[in-house]
């Protein structure tokens, strides 16, 4: 929309959606791609049903162990407006001073309990003591230091859905933090371990009054500490998983970010991650953004592409439709889909080149498990690989009739 009017923009190859783990599923849902029930209740036409759009939301939830500092050695010494300006000028002219130091100057991966197989808690040490994790209330003048603590691999999952069909409305978010009780247990134990670091003798000359948890919270009382964690914890802005790649019924894309059941639509952002990594999400997101152009280049490097479409129903009573994009020379990596609704065990599919009106078709017989399933095809080096269940269709220059038993 621009100045109240609709504008349509086309593309020659692909549409790439890179709006993040919150906005990418929202855009898909508003476009009619997602859970049909969620889409229809907002008066939006269903373009393609993918139940996993907006589901599988995972995030890191942080709590803080915090103390006042008895010596003026933290970043609070540059917290006033004037001192912040001075620190900035010093950094720009000499590359030194408080502005040259990142707020998180230390970190660690630890175990919340000794019996954990691998570290499950990440700690960010910060030479600041703020009222909230992200400093929205400003930075006070009083010196302090903090440990931000979060569980690396939470089991709790939430979801994102539409508030309305209005593109200007924010989505509805249900993160469901601590819906799995073990997440709260591990976070509680991790907070105690992070606090134990500050109680070591090396901090004695710097450690002042404990600011978080407050004095009225018994650190050894599970119920009190759990309630305090729920009331004071915050997101660390690591949402992932809402357009996850994979092959199960809630997968939204394949391993290359191509949206299942659609053509020329790809997602490239943190929403692709099937599970939350045990650390910051910035680096892997950059990695995906850097790798995807190479994938797209390989996808399109051969111009001799043939689009095939299903031109009739299966001969054994099934209904078939869809398309497959093939590189005739077998050098490229392309994809497509076929939807099947068959009750006889096998379905015969006749394919025709999309750009041709001549009834030149080949036959393909594939085994079917269930009905209305979407099968992803991968084409490389002159063989066709249906990688959903691991079967392969070997071919030379033309399709062959191949039967595959039901899984």
């Amino acid at each position: 929309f621009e100045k109240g009017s609709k504008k349509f923009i086309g593309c020659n190859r692909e549409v790439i959606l890179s709006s993040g783990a919150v906005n990418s599923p929202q855009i898909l849902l508003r476009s009619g791609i997602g859970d049909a029930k969620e889409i229809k209740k907002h008066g939006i036409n269903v373009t393609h049903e993918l139940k996993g759009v907006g589901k599988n939301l995972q995030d890191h939830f942080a709590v803080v162990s915090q103390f006042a500092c008895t010596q003026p050695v933290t970043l609070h010494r540059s917290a006033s407006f004037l001192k912040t300006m001075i620190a900035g000028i010093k950094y720009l002219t000499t590359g030194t001073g408080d502005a040259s130091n990142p707020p998180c100057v230390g970190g660690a991966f630890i175990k919340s309990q000794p019996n954990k197989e691998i570290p499950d808690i990440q700690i960010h040490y910060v030479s600041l003591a703020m009222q909230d994790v992200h400093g929205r209330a400003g930075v006070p003048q009083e010196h302090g230091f903090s440990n931000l603590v979060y569980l690396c691999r939470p089991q709790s999952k939430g979801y994102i859905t539409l508030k309305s069909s209005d593109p200007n409305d924010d989505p509805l978010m249900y993160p469901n933090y601590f819906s799995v009780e073990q997440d709260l247990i591990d976070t509680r134990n991790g907070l105690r371990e992070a606090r134990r670091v500050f109680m070591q003798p090396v901090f004695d000359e710097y450690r002042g009054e404990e600011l978080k948890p407050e004095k009225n919270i018994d650190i050894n009382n599970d119920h009190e500490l759990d309630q305090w964690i729920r009331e004071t914890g915050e997101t660390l802005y690591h949402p992932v998983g809402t357009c996850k790649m994979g092959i199960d019924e809630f997968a939204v894309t394949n391993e290359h970010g191509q949206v299942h059941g659609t053509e020329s639509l790809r997602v490239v952002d943190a929403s692709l991650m099937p599970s939350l990594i045990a650390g910051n999400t910035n680096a892997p997101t950059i990695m995906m953004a850097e790798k995807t152009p190479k994938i797209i280049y390989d996808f399109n490097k051969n111009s001799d592409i043939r689009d095939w479409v299903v031109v009739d129903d299966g001969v054994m009573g099934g209904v078939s439709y869809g398309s497959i994009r093939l590189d005739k020379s077998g050098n490229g990596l392309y994809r497509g889909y076929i939807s099947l609704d068959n009750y006889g065990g096998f379905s015969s599919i006749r394919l025709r080149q999309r750009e041709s009106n001549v009834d030149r078709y080949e036959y393909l017989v594939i085994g079917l498990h269930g009905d209305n399933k979407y099968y992803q095809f991968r084409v490389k080096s002159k063989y066709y690989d249906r990688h959903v269940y691991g079967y392969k269709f070997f071919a030379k220059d033309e399709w062959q009739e191949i039967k595959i038993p039901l899984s």
Side-chain angles (χ1 to χ4, degrees):
F1 288 90
E2 183 176 350
K3 297 181 180 179
S5 62
K6 292 182 180 179
K7 288 197 173 183
F8 296 89
I9 301 174
C11 70
N12 293 325
R13 290 289 188 178
E14 295 186 1
V15 173
I16 298 177
L17 184 57
S18 299
S19 295
V22 175
N23 289 324
S24 284
Q26 181 191 26
I27 292 172
L28 288 176
L29 288 167
R30 284 205 312 256
S31 303
I33 300 174
D35 190 329
K37 293 181 181 179
E38 292 295 324
I39 294 170
K40 288 179 179 178
K41 69 183 182 182
H42 297 291
I44 301 172
N45 293 327
V46 177
T47 304
H48 177 59
E49 183 166 22
L50 283 174
K51 294 183 179 180
V53 175
K55 307 298 194 300
N56 192 50
L57 173 63
Q58 300 162 63
D59 191 16
H60 286 141
F61 187 86
V63 291
V64 181
S65 173
Q66 187 178 99
F67 286 84
C69 186
T70 58
Q71 299 187 35
V73 295
T74 68
L75 293 179
H76 291 274
R77 63 193 173 195
S78 296
S80 69
F81 176 79
L82 178 60
K83 291 182 178 179
T84 298
M85 294 300 103
I86 294 173
I89 293 171
K90 186 175 182 180
Y91 170 70
L92 291 174
T93 56
T94 68
T96 62
D98 286 345
S100 67
N101 295 318
C104 296
V105 294
F109 289 92
I110 66 171
K111 295 181 179 181
S112 60
Q113 290 181 308
N115 62 354
K116 295 287 184 178
E117 291 186 6
I118 57 176
D120 62 333
I121 295 291
Q122 184 174 7
I123 297 176
H124 295 300
Y125 170 78
V126 185
S127 292
L128 288 168
M130 299 178 290
Q131 293 183 23
D132 64 85
V133 171
H134 297 100
R136 290 181 293 268
V139 181
Q141 299 294 310
E142 297 76 20
H143 285 267
F145 49 86
S146 310
N147 268 338
L148 278 68
V149 183
Y150 69 72
L151 179 64
C152 291
R153 303 171 187 84
Q155 301 175 58
S156 302
K157 296 180 180 180
Y159 64 95
I160 291 173
T161 189
L162 294 178
K163 181 179 181 181
S164 72
S165 60
D166 187 342
N168 295 313
D169 278 348
D170 294 328
L172 298 177
M173 298 179 64
Y174 299 89
N176 293 340
Y177 296 125
F178 303 132
S179 56
V180 176
E181 185 180 9
Q182 190 61 45
D183 290 351
L184 182 58
I185 294 171
D186 292 339
T187 300
R188 175 211 308 155
N189 292 331
L191 176 63
R192 286 170 174 162
E193 288 298 298
R195 179 180 180 273
R196 189 165 66 88
V197 172
F198 284 155
M199 301 307 294
Q200 300 305 304
V202 70
F203 279 97
D204 287 348
E205 60 179 308
Y206 303 103
R207 187 177 57 248
E209 178 186 2
E210 185 169 15
L211 304 177
K212 292 183 181 181
E214 293 82 358
K215 292 180 180 179
N216 62 323
I217 304 298
D218 183 354
I219 193 72
N220 296 312
N221 185 299
D222 290 350
H223 176 73
E224 287 188 23
L225 194 56
D226 289 351
Q227 185 66 27
W228 181 84
I229 289 171
R230 290 181 180 276
E231 292 176 354
T232 64
E234 293 188 42
T235 175
L236 274 189
Y237 302 110
H238 293 170
V240 304
T242 50
C243 298
K244 76 168 186 173
M245 63 176 70
I247 59 175
D248 62 70
E249 63 175 322
F250 287 100
V252 178
T253 81
N254 65 11
E255 71 273 26
H256 302 308
Q258 295 165 307
V259 177
H260 290 313
T262 68
E263 294 184 22
S264 303
L265 177 59
R266 192 187 301 262
V267 178
V268 186
D269 55 39
S271 68
L272 292 179
M273 299 183 193
S275 57
L276 186 56
I277 69 163
N280 297 64
T281 53
N282 179 260
T285 304
I286 293 173
M287 178 275 296
M288 289 189 292
E290 291 181 344
K291 182 177 181 179
T292 301
K294 178 63 166 58
I295 294 173
I296 295 173
Y297 173 78
D298 290 342
F299 188 92
N300 293 306
K301 67 182 178 181
N302 193 318
S303 61
D304 187 14
I305 296 172
R306 296 292 182 265
D307 285 332
W308 298 77
V309 293
V310 175
V311 294
D312 69 337
D313 294 341
V315 297
M316 297 184 67
V319 179
S320 310
Y321 62 91
S323 66
I324 306 176
R325 171 169 285 189
L326 304 179
D327 171 10
K328 190 175 181 181
S329 67
N331 294 322
L333 182 63
Y334 303 100
R335 48 90 71 162
Y337 71 92
I338 293 179
S339 176
L340 302 172
D341 186 2
N342 181 277
Y343 304 97
F346 295 98
S347 179
S348 176
I349 303 166
R350 294 194 292 177
L351 303 175
R352 186 178 68 209
Q353 288 186 14
R354 184 187 301 276
E355 66 271 21
S356 173
N357 292 322
V358 180
D359 285 337
R360 290 168 35 204
Y361 34 48
E362 311 293 343
Y363 290 88
L364 170 66
V365 180
I366 74 173
L368 182 64
H369 179 66
D371 58 83
N372 198 30
K373 295 289 186 182
Y374 285 86
Y375 296 91
Q376 297 297 318
F377 288 77
R378 189 167 53 194
V379 182
K380 189 176 183 182
S381 300
K382 295 189 178 181
Y383 68 83
Y384 312 114
D385 174 9
R386 180 168 69 94
H387 62 88
V388 172
Y389 292 111
Y391 300 125
K392 293 181 179 179
F393 303 113
F394 291 94
K396 294 182 180 179
D397 295 327
E398 297 180 349
W399 288 95
Q400 297 179 1
E401 186 174 23
I402 300 174
K403 291 184 178 181
I404 298 177
L406 293 175
S407 59

